[in-house]
Coordinates of all heavy atoms in Angstrom, one line a residue:
M1 N 17.9 -32.1 25.7 CA 18.6 -30.8 25.3 C 18.3 -29.8 26.2 O 17.1 -29.5 26.3 CB 18.2 -30.7 23.7 CG 18.9 -29.5 23.2 SD 18.4 -29.1 21.4 CE 19.3 -27.6 21.2
K2 N 19.3 -29.2 26.6 CA 19.2 -28.0 27.4 C 18.7 -26.7 26.8 O 19.2 -26.6 25.7 CB 20.5 -27.7 28.2 CG 20.3 -26.8 29.4 CD 21.8 -26.6 30.1 CE 21.6 -25.7 31.3 NZ 21.4 -24.3 30.8
S3 N 17.7 -26.1 27.3 CA 17.0 -25.0 26.7 C 18.2 -23.8 26.7 O 18.9 -23.6 27.7 CB 15.9 -24.4 27.4 OG 15.5 -23.2 27.0
R4 N 18.3 -23.2 25.5 CA 19.3 -22.1 25.4 C 18.7 -20.8 25.9 O 19.5 -19.9 26.2 CB 19.6 -21.8 23.8 CG 20.4 -23.0 23.2 CD 20.3 -22.9 21.8 NE 19.0 -23.0 21.2 CZ 18.6 -22.9 20.0 NH1 19.4 -22.6 19.2 NH2 17.4 -23.1 19.6
I5 N 17.4 -20.8 26.1 CA 16.8 -19.7 26.6 C 16.9 -19.7 28.2 O 16.3 -20.5 28.9 CB 15.3 -19.5 26.3 CG1 15.2 -19.3 24.8 CG2 14.6 -18.3 27.0 CD1 13.8 -19.2 24.2
G6 N 17.7 -18.8 28.9 CA 18.2 -19.0 30.2 C 17.6 -17.8 31.1 O 17.1 -18.0 32.2
K7 N 17.6 -16.6 30.6 CA 17.3 -15.5 31.4 C 15.8 -15.4 31.5 O 15.0 -15.6 30.6 CB 17.8 -14.1 30.7 CG 19.3 -14.1 30.5 CD 19.7 -12.7 30.1 CE 21.0 -12.7 29.5 NZ 21.2 -13.1 28.1
T8 N 15.3 -15.2 32.6 CA 13.9 -15.0 33.0 C 13.5 -13.9 33.7 O 14.5 -13.3 34.5 CB 13.4 -16.4 33.7 OG1 14.2 -16.6 34.9 CG2 13.4 -17.5 32.9
T9 N 12.4 -13.5 33.8 CA 11.9 -12.4 34.4 C 10.5 -12.9 35.2 O 9.9 -13.7 34.7 CB 11.7 -11.1 33.5 OG1 11.3 -10.0 34.4 CG2 10.6 -11.3 32.5
H10 N 10.2 -12.1 36.2 CA 8.9 -12.5 36.8 C 7.8 -11.4 36.6 O 8.0 -10.3 36.5 CB 9.2 -12.6 38.4 CG 10.0 -13.7 38.7 ND1 9.5 -14.8 39.1 CD2 11.4 -13.9 38.8 CE1 10.5 -15.7 39.3 NE2 11.7 -15.1 39.2
Y11 N 6.6 -12.0 36.3 CA 5.5 -11.1 36.1 C 4.3 -11.9 36.5 O 4.1 -13.0 36.3 CB 5.5 -11.0 34.5 CG 4.1 -10.2 34.1 CD1 4.1 -8.8 34.3 CD2 3.1 -10.9 33.4 CE1 3.0 -8.1 33.9 CE2 2.0 -10.1 33.0 CZ 1.9 -8.8 33.2 OH 0.9 -8.1 32.8
M12 N 3.4 -11.3 37.4 CA 2.3 -11.9 38.0 C 2.5 -13.0 38.7 O 1.8 -14.0 38.5 CB 1.2 -12.0 36.8 CG 0.9 -10.8 35.9 SD -0.4 -9.8 36.6 CE -1.9 -10.7 36.3
G13 N 3.7 -13.2 39.2 CA 4.1 -14.3 40.1 C 4.5 -15.5 39.2 O 4.8 -16.6 39.8
E14 N 4.7 -15.2 38.0 CA 5.1 -16.3 37.1 C 6.6 -16.1 36.4 O 6.8 -14.8 36.3 CB 4.1 -16.7 35.9 CG 2.9 -17.5 36.5 CD 2.2 -18.0 35.3 OE1 2.7 -19.0 34.6 OE2 1.2 -17.5 35.0
E15 N 7.2 -17.0 35.9 CA 8.5 -16.9 35.3 C 8.4 -16.8 33.9 O 7.7 -17.7 33.2 CB 9.5 -18.0 35.7 CG 10.6 -17.6 36.7 CD 11.6 -18.5 36.8 OE1 11.6 -19.6 36.1 OE2 12.5 -18.4 37.7
F16 N 8.9 -15.7 33.2 CA 8.8 -15.6 31.9 C 10.3 -15.2 31.2 O 11.0 -14.8 32.0 CB 7.9 -14.4 31.4 CG 6.4 -14.8 31.7 CD1 5.8 -14.3 32.8 CD2 5.7 -15.5 30.7 CE1 4.5 -14.6 33.1 CE2 4.4 -15.7 31.0 CZ 3.8 -15.3 32.2
I17 N 10.5 -15.7 30.0 CA 11.8 -15.2 29.5 C 11.6 -13.7 29.2 O 10.6 -13.2 29.2 CB 12.1 -16.0 28.1 CG1 10.9 -15.7 27.1 CG2 12.2 -17.5 28.4 CD1 11.3 -16.2 25.7
T18 N 12.9 -13.0 29.2 CA 13.0 -11.7 29.0 C 12.7 -11.2 27.5 O 12.9 -12.0 26.7 CB 14.3 -11.1 29.5 OG1 15.3 -11.6 28.6 CG2 14.6 -11.5 30.9
C19 N 12.4 -9.9 27.3 CA 12.2 -9.3 26.0 C 13.5 -9.5 25.3 O 13.4 -9.8 24.1 CB 11.9 -7.9 26.1 SG 10.3 -7.5 26.8
Q20 N 14.7 -9.5 25.9 CA 16.0 -9.6 25.2 C 16.1 -11.0 24.7 O 16.6 -11.1 23.5 CB 17.1 -9.3 26.2 CG 18.5 -9.5 25.6 CD 18.7 -8.2 24.5 OE1 18.3 -7.1 24.6 NE2 19.2 -8.7 23.4
E21 N 15.6 -12.0 25.3 CA 15.6 -13.4 24.9 C 14.6 -13.6 23.7 O 15.0 -14.2 22.7 CB 15.2 -14.3 26.0 CG 16.2 -14.4 27.1 CD 17.2 -15.4 27.1 OE1 16.9 -16.5 27.3 OE2 18.3 -15.1 26.7
V22 N 13.6 -13.0 23.7 CA 12.6 -12.9 22.6 C 13.3 -12.4 21.3 O 13.4 -13.0 20.3 CB 11.4 -12.2 22.9 CG1 10.5 -12.0 21.6 CG2 10.5 -12.9 23.9
L23 N 14.0 -11.3 21.6 CA 14.7 -10.6 20.3 C 15.8 -11.6 19.9 O 15.9 -11.5 18.7 CB 15.2 -9.3 20.7 CG 14.1 -8.2 21.1 CD1 14.8 -6.8 21.3 CD2 13.0 -8.1 20.1
T24 N 16.5 -12.1 20.7 CA 17.6 -13.0 20.4 C 17.2 -14.2 19.6 O 17.8 -14.6 18.7 CB 18.4 -13.5 21.6 OG1 18.8 -12.2 22.4 CG2 19.5 -14.3 21.3
F25 N 16.1 -14.8 20.0 CA 15.6 -16.0 19.4 C 14.5 -15.8 18.4 O 13.9 -16.9 17.9 CB 15.1 -16.9 20.4 CG 16.4 -17.5 21.3 CD1 16.7 -17.0 22.5 CD2 17.3 -18.6 20.9 CE1 17.9 -17.4 23.2 CE2 18.4 -19.0 21.5 CZ 18.6 -18.4 22.8
L26 N 14.2 -14.6 17.9 CA 13.2 -14.4 17.0 C 13.3 -15.1 15.7 O 12.4 -15.7 15.2 CB 13.3 -12.8 16.8 CG 12.0 -12.3 16.1 CD1 10.6 -12.6 17.0 CD2 12.0 -10.8 15.9
L27 N 14.4 -15.1 15.2 CA 14.7 -15.8 13.9 C 14.7 -17.2 14.1 O 13.9 -17.8 13.1 CB 16.3 -15.4 13.5 CG 16.4 -15.3 12.0 CD1 15.4 -14.2 11.3 CD2 17.9 -14.9 11.7
E28 N 15.1 -17.9 15.2 CA 14.9 -19.2 15.5 C 13.5 -19.6 15.6 O 13.0 -20.6 15.1 CB 15.6 -19.7 16.6 CG 17.3 -19.9 16.5 CD 17.9 -18.6 16.7 OE1 17.3 -17.5 16.7 OE2 19.2 -18.7 16.8
Y29 N 12.7 -18.8 16.2 CA 11.3 -19.1 16.4 C 10.6 -18.9 15.0 O 9.8 -19.8 14.8 CB 10.7 -17.9 17.4 CG 9.2 -18.0 17.5 CD1 8.6 -19.0 18.2 CD2 8.4 -17.0 16.9 CE1 7.4 -19.1 18.4 CE2 7.0 -17.1 17.1 CZ 6.5 -18.1 17.7 OH 5.1 -18.2 18.0
L30 N 10.9 -18.0 14.1 CA 10.1 -17.9 13.0 C 10.6 -18.9 12.0 O 9.8 -19.4 11.2 CB 10.4 -16.5 12.3 CG 9.8 -15.4 13.0 CD1 10.2 -14.0 12.3 CD2 8.3 -15.5 12.9
S31 N 11.7 -19.5 12.1 CA 12.2 -20.6 11.2 C 11.9 -22.0 12.0 O 12.5 -22.9 11.5 CB 13.6 -20.4 10.8 OG 14.4 -20.0 11.8
K32 N 11.2 -22.0 13.0 CA 10.8 -23.1 13.7 C 12.1 -24.0 14.1 O 12.2 -25.1 14.1 CB 10.0 -24.0 12.9 CG 8.9 -23.4 12.2 CD 7.6 -23.3 13.2 CE 6.3 -22.7 12.6 NZ 5.5 -22.2 13.6
D33 N 13.1 -23.2 14.6 CA 14.4 -23.8 15.0 C 14.4 -24.1 16.6 O 15.5 -24.5 17.1 CB 15.5 -23.0 14.5 CG 16.0 -23.4 13.2 OD1 15.6 -24.5 12.7 OD2 16.8 -22.7 12.6
L34 N 13.5 -23.6 17.2 CA 13.4 -23.7 18.7 C 12.9 -25.1 19.2 O 12.2 -25.8 18.4 CB 12.5 -22.7 19.3 CG 12.9 -21.3 19.2 CD1 11.8 -20.3 19.9 CD2 14.1 -21.0 19.9
T35 N 13.4 -25.6 20.3 CA 12.9 -26.8 20.8 C 11.5 -26.5 21.3 O 11.0 -25.4 21.6 CB 13.7 -27.3 22.1 OG1 13.6 -26.3 23.1 CG2 15.2 -27.4 21.8
P36 N 10.7 -27.6 21.4 CA 9.2 -27.4 21.9 C 9.2 -26.6 23.2 O 8.3 -25.8 23.4 CB 8.8 -28.8 22.1 CG 9.6 -29.6 21.2 CD 10.9 -29.0 21.2
E37 N 10.2 -26.8 24.1 CA 10.2 -26.1 25.4 C 10.5 -24.6 25.2 O 9.9 -23.8 25.7 CB 11.2 -26.7 26.2 CG 11.3 -26.2 27.7 CD 12.4 -26.7 28.5 OE1 13.2 -27.4 28.1 OE2 12.5 -26.1 29.6
E38 N 11.5 -24.3 24.4 CA 11.9 -23.0 24.0 C 10.7 -22.2 23.4 O 10.4 -21.0 23.7 CB 13.1 -22.9 23.1 CG 14.4 -23.3 23.9 CD 15.5 -23.5 23.0 OE1 15.3 -23.8 21.7 OE2 16.6 -23.6 23.3
E39 N 10.0 -22.9 22.5 CA 8.9 -22.4 21.8 C 7.8 -22.0 22.7 O 7.1 -21.0 22.6 CB 8.5 -23.4 20.6 CG 7.5 -22.6 19.6 CD 7.1 -23.6 18.4 OE1 8.1 -24.0 17.8 OE2 5.9 -23.9 18.4
Q40 N 7.6 -22.8 23.7 CA 6.6 -22.7 24.6 C 6.8 -21.4 25.5 O 5.9 -20.6 25.7 CB 6.4 -23.9 25.5 CG 5.0 -24.0 26.3 CD 5.1 -25.3 27.2 OE1 6.0 -25.8 27.7 NE2 3.9 -25.8 27.4
N41 N 8.1 -21.4 25.9 CA 8.5 -20.2 26.8 C 8.4 -18.9 25.8 O 7.9 -17.9 26.4 CB 10.0 -20.3 27.2 CG 10.1 -21.2 28.3 OD1 9.3 -21.4 29.1 ND2 11.3 -21.9 28.3
F42 N 8.8 -19.0 24.6 CA 8.5 -17.8 23.7 C 7.2 -17.4 23.6 O 6.8 -16.2 23.7 CB 9.1 -18.3 22.3 CG 9.5 -17.2 21.4 CD1 10.9 -17.0 21.3 CD2 8.6 -16.4 20.8 CE1 11.3 -15.9 20.5 CE2 9.0 -15.4 19.9 CZ 10.4 -15.1 19.8
E43 N 6.2 -18.3 23.4 CA 4.9 -18.0 23.2 C 4.2 -17.5 24.5 O 3.3 -16.7 24.5 CB 4.1 -19.2 22.6 CG 4.4 -19.3 21.1 CD 3.9 -20.4 20.5 OE1 3.4 -21.5 21.1 OE2 4.0 -20.5 19.2
R44 N 4.7 -18.0 25.7 CA 4.1 -17.5 26.9 C 4.6 -16.1 27.2 O 3.7 -15.4 27.7 CB 4.7 -18.4 28.1 CG 4.0 -19.7 28.4 CD 4.6 -20.6 29.4 NE 4.3 -20.0 30.7 CZ 5.3 -19.6 31.6 NH1 6.6 -19.9 31.4 NH2 5.1 -19.2 32.7
H45 N 5.7 -15.9 26.7 CA 6.2 -14.4 26.8 C 5.3 -13.5 25.9 O 4.8 -12.4 26.3 CB 7.6 -14.2 26.4 CG 8.2 -12.8 26.4 ND1 8.9 -12.4 27.5 CD2 7.9 -11.8 25.6 CE1 9.3 -11.0 27.2 NE2 8.6 -10.7 26.2
L46 N 5.1 -13.9 24.8 CA 4.3 -13.1 23.7 C 2.8 -13.0 24.2 O 2.2 -12.0 24.0 CB 4.2 -13.8 22.3 CG 5.6 -13.9 21.6 CD1 5.3 -14.6 20.3 CD2 6.0 -12.6 21.3
A47 N 2.3 -13.9 25.1 CA 1.1 -13.8 25.6 C 0.8 -12.6 26.6 O -0.2 -12.1 26.8 CB 0.6 -15.1 26.3
V48 N 1.9 -12.2 27.1 CA 1.9 -11.1 28.3 C 2.5 -10.0 27.8 O 2.7 -9.0 28.6 CB 2.3 -11.6 29.6 CG1 1.6 -12.8 30.1 CG2 3.8 -12.1 29.5
C49 N 3.2 -9.9 26.6 CA 4.0 -8.7 26.2 C 3.6 -8.2 24.9 O 4.2 -8.6 23.8 CB 5.5 -9.1 26.2 SG 6.7 -7.8 25.9
P50 N 2.8 -7.2 25.0 CA 2.3 -6.6 23.7 C 3.4 -5.8 22.8 O 3.3 -5.8 21.7 CB 1.2 -5.5 24.1 CG 1.0 -5.8 25.5 CD 2.2 -6.6 26.1
S51 N 4.4 -5.4 23.4 CA 5.5 -4.7 22.7 C 6.2 -5.8 21.9 O 6.6 -5.4 20.8 CB 6.4 -3.9 23.6 OG 7.1 -4.8 24.6
C52 N 6.4 -7.0 22.4 CA 7.1 -8.0 21.7 C 6.3 -8.5 20.5 O 6.8 -8.8 19.4 CB 7.6 -9.2 22.5 SG 9.2 -8.9 23.3
V53 N 5.0 -8.6 20.7 CA 4.1 -9.0 19.8 C 4.0 -8.1 18.6 O 4.1 -8.5 17.5 CB 2.6 -9.2 20.3 CG1 1.7 -9.4 19.2 CG2 2.5 -10.3 21.3
A54 N 4.1 -6.8 18.9 CA 4.2 -5.6 18.0 C 5.4 -5.7 17.1 O 5.4 -5.7 15.8 CB 4.0 -4.4 18.6
Y55 N 6.6 -6.0 17.8 CA 7.8 -6.2 17.1 C 7.8 -7.3 16.2 O 8.2 -7.3 15.1 CB 8.9 -6.3 18.2 CG 10.3 -6.3 17.6 CD1 11.0 -5.1 17.3 CD2 10.9 -7.6 17.1 CE1 12.1 -5.1 16.8 CE2 12.1 -7.5 16.6 CZ 12.9 -6.3 16.3 OH 14.1 -6.3 15.8
L56 N 7.2 -8.4 16.6 CA 7.2 -9.7 15.8 C 6.4 -9.4 14.6 O 6.8 -9.8 13.5 CB 6.6 -10.8 16.7 CG 6.6 -12.2 16.0 CD1 8.0 -12.8 15.8 CD2 5.7 -13.2 17.0
K57 N 5.3 -8.7 14.7 CA 4.4 -8.4 13.6 C 5.1 -7.6 12.6 O 5.1 -7.9 11.3 CB 3.2 -7.7 14.0 CG 2.1 -7.6 13.2 CD 0.9 -7.0 13.8 CE -0.1 -6.5 12.6 NZ -1.2 -5.7 13.2
T58 N 5.9 -6.5 13.0 CA 6.7 -5.8 12.1 C 7.7 -6.6 11.4 O 8.0 -6.4 10.3 CB 7.4 -4.6 13.0 OG1 6.4 -3.9 13.7 CG2 8.0 -3.6 12.0
Y59 N 8.4 -7.4 12.2 CA 9.4 -8.2 11.7 C 9.0 -9.1 10.7 O 9.6 -9.3 9.5 CB 10.0 -9.0 12.8 CG 11.3 -9.7 12.4 CD1 12.6 -9.1 12.7 CD2 11.3 -11.1 12.0 CE1 13.8 -9.8 12.4 CE2 12.7 -11.7 11.6 CZ 13.7 -11.2 11.9 OH 14.8 -11.7 11.6
K60 N 7.8 -9.8 10.8 CA 7.3 -10.7 9.9 C 6.9 -9.9 8.5 O 7.1 -10.5 7.4 CB 6.0 -11.4 10.4 CG 6.3 -12.6 11.2 CD 4.9 -13.2 11.7 CE 4.9 -14.4 12.4 NZ 3.7 -14.9 13.1
Q61 N 6.3 -8.6 8.8 CA 6.0 -7.9 7.6 C 7.2 -7.7 6.8 O 7.1 -7.6 5.6 CB 5.2 -6.7 8.0 CG 3.8 -6.9 8.3 CD 3.1 -5.6 9.0 OE1 3.8 -4.7 9.4 NE2 1.8 -5.7 9.2
T62 N 8.3 -7.2 7.4 CA 9.5 -7.0 6.8 C 10.1 -8.1 6.0 O 10.4 -8.0 4.8 CB 10.6 -6.5 7.9 OG1 10.0 -5.4 8.6 CG2 11.8 -6.0 7.1
V63 N 9.9 -9.3 6.6 CA 10.5 -10.5 5.9 C 9.6 -10.7 4.8 O 10.2 -11.0 3.7 CB 10.5 -11.7 6.9 CG1 10.7 -13.0 6.3 CG2 11.5 -11.5 7.9
H64 N 8.4 -10.6 4.9 CA 7.3 -10.8 3.8 C 7.6 -9.9 2.8 O 7.6 -10.3 1.6 CB 5.9 -10.7 4.3 CG 4.9 -10.8 3.2 ND1 4.6 -12.0 2.7 CD2 4.1 -9.9 2.5 CE1 3.6 -11.8 1.8 NE2 3.4 -10.5 1.8
L65 N 7.8 -8.6 3.1 CA 8.2 -7.7 1.9 C 9.5 -8.0 1.3 O 9.6 -7.8 0.0 CB 8.3 -6.2 2.6 CG 7.1 -5.5 3.0 CD1 7.3 -4.2 3.8 CD2 6.2 -5.2 1.7
G66 N 10.4 -8.5 1.9 CA 11.7 -8.9 1.4 C 11.5 -10.0 0.5 O 11.9 -10.1 -0.8
R67 N 10.6 -10.9 0.8 CA 10.3 -12.1 -0.2 C 9.6 -11.6 -1.3 O 9.9 -12.0 -2.5 CB 9.4 -13.2 0.6 CG 10.2 -13.8 1.8 CD 9.8 -15.2 2.0 NE 10.3 -16.0 3.1 CZ 9.9 -16.2 4.3 NH1 8.5 -16.0 4.4 NH2 10.5 -16.8 5.2
V68 N 8.6 -10.6 -1.3 CA 7.9 -10.1 -2.3 C 8.8 -9.5 -3.3 O 8.9 -9.6 -4.5 CB 6.8 -9.2 -1.9 CG1 6.2 -8.4 -3.1 CG2 5.7 -9.9 -1.2
A69 N 9.7 -8.7 -2.6 CA 10.7 -7.9 -3.4 C 11.6 -8.9 -4.3 O 12.0 -8.7 -5.4 CB 11.6 -7.0 -2.6
L70 N 12.0 -10.0 -3.6 CA 12.8 -11.0 -4.2 C 12.1 -11.7 -5.5 O 12.7 -12.1 -6.3 CB 13.3 -12.1 -3.2 CG 14.5 -11.8 -2.4 CD1 14.7 -12.8 -1.2 CD2 15.7 -11.6 -3.1
R71 N 10.8 -12.0 -5.1 CA 10.0 -12.7 -6.2 C 9.8 -11.9 -7.5 O 9.8 -12.4 -8.6 CB 8.7 -13.1 -5.5 CG 8.2 -14.5 -6.0 CD 6.9 -14.7 -5.3 NE 7.0 -15.0 -3.9 CZ 6.1 -14.5 -3.0 NH1 5.1 -13.7 -3.4 NH2 6.2 -14.6 -1.8
R72 N 9.6 -10.6 -7.4 CA 9.5 -9.7 -8.6 C 10.8 -9.5 -9.3 O 11.5 -8.5 -9.0 CB 8.9 -8.4 -8.1 CG 7.5 -8.5 -7.7 CD 6.9 -7.1 -7.5 NE 5.7 -7.1 -6.6 CZ 5.2 -6.2 -6.0 NH1 5.8 -5.0 -6.1 NH2 4.2 -6.2 -5.1
E73 N 11.1 -10.3 -10.2 CA 12.5 -10.1 -10.8 C 12.4 -9.1 -11.9 O 13.6 -8.4 -12.1 CB 12.8 -11.5 -11.5 CG 13.2 -12.6 -10.6 CD 13.5 -13.8 -11.2 OE1 13.8 -13.9 -12.3 OE2 13.3 -14.8 -10.5
T74 N 11.3 -8.7 -12.3 CA 11.3 -7.5 -13.2 C 11.1 -6.2 -12.6 O 11.2 -5.1 -13.2 CB 9.9 -7.8 -14.3 OG1 8.8 -8.0 -13.4 CG2 10.2 -9.0 -15.2
D75 N 10.9 -6.3 -11.3 CA 10.7 -4.9 -10.5 C 12.1 -4.1 -10.7 O 13.1 -4.8 -10.7 CB 10.3 -5.4 -9.2 CG 9.6 -4.2 -8.4 OD1 10.4 -3.2 -8.1 OD2 8.5 -4.2 -8.0
A76 N 11.8 -2.8 -10.6 CA 13.0 -2.0 -10.6 C 13.8 -2.2 -9.5 O 15.1 -1.9 -9.4 CB 12.6 -0.5 -10.8
R77 N 13.2 -2.4 -8.2 CA 14.0 -2.4 -7.1 C 15.0 -3.7 -7.0 O 14.7 -4.7 -7.6 CB 13.0 -2.5 -5.8 CG 12.4 -1.3 -5.5 CD 11.3 -1.6 -4.3 NE 10.1 -2.3 -4.9 CZ 9.2 -3.0 -4.1 NH1 9.2 -2.6 -2.8 NH2 8.3 -3.5 -4.7
P78 N 16.1 -3.4 -6.5 CA 17.1 -4.5 -6.5 C 16.7 -5.5 -5.4 O 16.0 -5.2 -4.5 CB 18.3 -3.7 -6.0 CG 17.8 -2.6 -5.2 CD 16.6 -2.1 -5.8
P79 N 17.0 -6.8 -5.7 CA 16.7 -7.9 -4.8 C 17.3 -7.8 -3.4 O 16.8 -8.3 -2.5 CB 17.1 -9.1 -5.6 CG 17.9 -8.7 -6.7 CD 17.7 -7.2 -6.9
E80 N 18.3 -7.0 -3.3 CA 19.0 -6.9 -2.1 C 18.0 -6.0 -1.0 O 18.4 -6.0 0.1 CB 20.3 -6.0 -2.1 CG 21.4 -6.9 -2.9 CD 21.2 -6.8 -4.5 OE1 20.7 -5.6 -4.9 OE2 21.3 -7.6 -5.2
L81 N 17.1 -5.5 -1.5 CA 16.1 -4.6 -0.7 C 15.6 -5.3 0.6 O 15.9 -4.8 1.8 CB 15.0 -4.1 -1.4 CG 13.9 -3.2 -0.6 CD1 14.7 -1.8 -0.3 CD2 12.7 -3.0 -1.4
G82 N 15.2 -6.4 0.5 CA 14.8 -7.2 1.6 C 15.9 -7.5 2.6 O 15.7 -7.4 3.8
V83 N 17.0 -7.9 2.1 CA 18.1 -8.1 3.0 C 18.6 -6.8 3.7 O 18.8 -6.9 4.9 CB 19.3 -8.7 2.2 CG1 20.6 -8.9 3.1 CG2 19.1 -10.0 1.4
E84 N 18.5 -5.8 3.0 CA 18.9 -4.5 3.7 C 18.0 -4.1 4.7 O 18.4 -3.7 5.8 CB 19.0 -3.3 2.7 CG 20.2 -3.4 1.6 CD 21.5 -3.5 2.3 OE1 21.6 -2.7 3.3 OE2 22.3 -4.3 1.9
L85 N 16.6 -4.4 4.5 CA 15.6 -4.1 5.5 C 15.8 -4.9 6.8 O 15.9 -4.5 7.9 CB 14.2 -4.4 5.0 CG 13.7 -3.2 4.1 CD1 12.3 -3.8 3.5 CD2 13.4 -1.9 5.0
V86 N 16.1 -6.2 6.5 CA 16.3 -7.2 7.7 C 17.6 -6.5 8.5 O 17.6 -6.7 9.7 CB 16.4 -8.5 7.2 CG1 16.9 -9.4 8.4 CG2 15.0 -9.0 6.7
R87 N 18.5 -6.3 7.8 CA 19.9 -5.8 8.4 C 19.6 -4.6 9.1 O 20.1 -4.5 10.2 CB 20.9 -5.5 7.2 CG 22.3 -5.6 7.9 CD 23.3 -5.6 6.6 NE 23.3 -6.7 5.9 CZ 23.8 -6.9 4.6 NH1 23.9 -5.8 3.9 NH2 23.7 -8.1 3.9
A88 N 18.7 -3.6 8.6 CA 18.6 -2.3 9.3 C 17.8 -2.8 10.7 O 18.2 -2.1 11.7 CB 17.7 -1.5 8.4
I89 N 16.9 -3.7 10.6 CA 16.0 -4.0 11.9 C 17.0 -4.8 12.8 O 17.0 -4.4 14.1 CB 15.0 -5.0 11.5 CG1 13.8 -4.1 10.9 CG2 14.5 -5.8 12.7 CD1 12.5 -4.8 10.9
L90 N 17.9 -5.6 12.3 CA 18.9 -6.2 13.3 C 19.8 -5.3 13.9 O 20.2 -5.4 15.0 CB 19.7 -7.3 12.4 CG 18.9 -8.5 12.1 CD1 19.8 -9.4 11.1 CD2 18.5 -9.4 13.2
Q91 N 20.2 -4.2 13.2 CA 21.1 -3.2 13.7 C 20.3 -2.3 14.7 O 20.8 -1.9 15.7 CB 21.6 -2.2 12.6 CG 22.8 -2.9 11.9 CD 23.2 -2.1 10.6 OE1 22.5 -1.2 10.3 NE2 24.3 -2.6 10.0
A92 N 19.0 -2.2 14.4 CA 18.2 -1.3 15.2 C 17.9 -2.0 16.6 O 17.8 -1.2 17.7 CB 16.9 -0.9 14.5
R93 N 17.9 -3.3 16.6 CA 17.8 -4.0 17.9 C 18.8 -4.2 18.7 O 18.9 -4.5 19.8 CB 16.9 -5.2 17.6 CG 17.9 -6.4 17.3 CD 17.1 -7.7 17.0 NE 18.0 -8.8 16.9 CZ 17.8 -10.0 16.7 NH1 16.5 -10.3 16.3 NH2 18.6 -11.0 16.7
A94 N 20.0 -4.0 18.0 CA 21.3 -4.3 18.8 C 21.7 -3.2 19.7 O 21.2 -2.0 19.6 CB 22.5 -4.4 17.7
Ligands
ZN101 ZN1 8.6 -8.6 25.6

């Protein structure tokens, strides 16, 4: 299977996928939908890019908050809150 991650950038003499690719495949990465090769490229990028690591952390927290909100059925907040947060993040990165 051909890797969908095609755009690369150079850093310290090595090839890495770009930040844009990381953002594009973030959801696939978190849902373990990447091929082993893609996942490796993804993690190699994260190893040298603190800004993407920070973004990933925020993203994970948001998804987690969304799940917590969904779980609390008696909570006053509507269950759509998590979805709205994720949507806002997706719009912010576009
Ligand atoms: Zn990056």
Side-chain angles (χ1 to χ4, degrees):
M1 185 182 173
K2 194 176 176 290
S3 176
R4 289 165 298 173
I5 297 178
K7 298 190 195 87
T8 52
T9 187
H10 290 268
Y11 176 73
M12 305 273 287
E14 282 195 73
E15 255 192 7
F16 292 93
I17 60 171
T18 62
C19 291
Q20 186 58 51
E21 296 268 277
V22 168
L23 298 187
T24 303
F25 290 97
L26 196 58
L27 211 57
E28 280 90 342
Y29 175 71
L30 289 176
S31 44
K32 308 278 181 202
D33 274 345
L34 294 179
T35 66
E37 188 195 353
E38 288 168 339
E39 194 175 300
Q40 200 181 25
N41 280 330
F42 204 99
E43 282 169 356
R44 278 178 71 236
H45 180 106
L46 292 180
V48 296
C49 187
S51 65
C52 278
V53 172
Y55 186 87
L56 185 65
K57 199 176 158 190
T58 309
Y59 191 89
K60 273 183 177 170
Q61 279 171 352
T62 306
V63 171
H64 177 71
L65 283 175
R67 290 207 183 115
V68 170
L70 280 172
R71 218 178 290 137
R72 290 187 201 162
E73 287 175 28
T74 53
D75 201 292
R77 282 175 295 172
E80 294 82 33
L81 182 65
V83 178
E84 289 302 320
L85 277 173
V86 172
R87 196 172 291 153
I89 281 197
L90 289 174
Q91 277 171 355
R93 85 180 189 186

